[in-house]
Amino acid sequence: MIKIWGRSSAYNVQKVLWTIGELELPYQHINAGGSVGGLDQPEFLGMNPNGRIPVIVDDNITIWESNSIVRYLCAQYSHDWLWAKTPAKRSLAERWMDWELATLQPDFLDLFWSFYRTPEALHDHQKIQNASERCQKHLAMLDAHLAEQTFLAGDEFSMGDIPVATSLYRYFEMGIPTPQIPNVRRWNGALAERKPYREHIMTPFDELCGRQTF
Ligand SMILES: N[C@@H](CCC(=O)N[C@@H](CS)C(=O)NCC(=O)O)C(=O)O
């Protein structure tokens, strides 16, 4: 059975839980990180020398980096459903996973930390404004892409939807004004019809509000 380490309020852990839910895989969830800690323990560092969550163990393989775990699970268990068979078709999903990690996430995390995880009295309004504008630029591009197709990689749900949508749930729910992005909203609405998304992504994250540790 797959074992996954990581607190369920961590959005990188949520990507993996959502994927496991889509694939209906049995798993054991071990709480780690956050107020539970444990990431600096030798046993945990032996699995992930970065001391970060999520980590999974499946049979004799240990994997860290959330998007790599999502890729592994889809390749290993989705029987060509979430993991497209041809490299060309797969690249349509993979680019959005890499875009999430390299482009959206740095700016979104900047916004999330400066707006949501910093106590209001300590807000740096210029920093929030700058991060918000960078996110809006990314989302305008995403909205234009989704004007042309139902999901990120085409007309069907794929692994490419998981990382981006996981970040965006927080963007929409953290209480900051958001731009008009009707196609992104429509896509989000379609994802909210999926049970694993509702179970693992549409969950409260208020334990992180104003909290600058972990
Ligand atoms: N790029 C890594 C980032 C991992 C990461 O930064 N995880 C955060 C949670 S989202 C963490 O370990 N935080 C420490 C903690 O929760 O104690 C990934 O995608 O897996």
Side-chain angles (χ1 to χ4, degrees):
M1 184 186 307
I2 295 168
K3 283 186 176 180
I4 166 166
W5 280 259
R7 61 183 163 87
S8 26
S9 65
Y11 80 98
N12 286 311
V13 173
Q14 293 180 344
K15 294 172 186 174
V16 176
L17 291 171
W18 179 6
T19 308
I20 285 176
E22 291 288 348
L23 298 170
E24 299 181 350
L25 300 171
Y27 69 102
Q28 182 188 351
H29 188 181
I30 300 134
N31 199 2
S35 41
V36 171
L39 309 190
D40 54 356
Q41 295 305 302
E43 203 183 327
F44 188 84
L45 291 170
M47 295 192 296
N48 183 359
N50 297 292
R52 309 299 280 178
I53 47 172
V55 174
I56 70 159
V57 172
D58 186 23
D59 270 336
N60 53 4
I61 173 104
T62 302
I63 312 174
W64 44 267
E65 274 300 325
S66 57
N67 288 2
S68 297
I69 299 172
V70 170
R71 281 185 173 89
Y72 165 80
L73 293 170
C74 293
Q76 179 76 354
Y77 295 111
S78 85
H79 307 290
D80 306 334
W81 168 48
L82 298 177
W83 176 263
K85 209 172 193 162
T86 65
K89 190 162 179 217
R90 208 158 56 236
S91 80
L92 298 174
E94 294 209 86
R95 70 191 61 180
W96 290 105
M97 301 173 77
D98 293 339
W99 178 78
E100 183 267 340
L101 200 59
T103 302
L104 179 64
Q105 194 181 101
D107 289 331
F108 173 65
L109 278 186
D110 206 10
L111 182 61
F112 189 63
W113 277 84
S114 54
F115 175 76
Y116 194 77
R117 297 202 60 164
T118 300
E120 210 168 330
L122 302 177
H123 274 187
D124 175 339
H125 296 287
Q126 191 57 55
K127 191 166 191 262
I128 294 172
Q129 173 73 15
N130 292 346
S132 180
E133 281 172 11
R134 292 197 305 275
C135 288
Q136 289 185 24
K137 202 168 154 217
H138 299 321
L139 293 175
M141 188 275 291
L142 187 67
D143 199 63
H145 177 70
L146 284 167
E148 306 294 326
Q149 49 196 19
T150 316
F151 293 100
L152 291 185
D155 291 336
E156 287 172 12
F157 175 68
S158 77
M159 66 175 179
D161 293 293
I162 292 175
V164 179
T166 304
S167 311
L168 287 190
Y169 178 74
R170 297 216 167 163
Y171 180 72
F172 288 136
E173 295 297 317
M174 70 181 175
I176 200 161
T178 56
Q180 291 291 320
I181 35 176
N183 302 304
V184 173
R185 291 281 188 180
R186 188 258 315 138
W187 168 69
N188 232 64
L191 296 173
E193 287 171 18
R194 309 186 79 84
K195 191 163 168 269
Y197 175 91
R198 289 199 303 277
E199 262 176 31
H200 300 294
I201 309 302
M202 296 175 76
T203 58
F205 53 91
D206 49 334
E207 68 160 4
L208 304 176
C209 188
R211 179 189 279 264
Q212 292 181 293
T213 51
F214 70 75

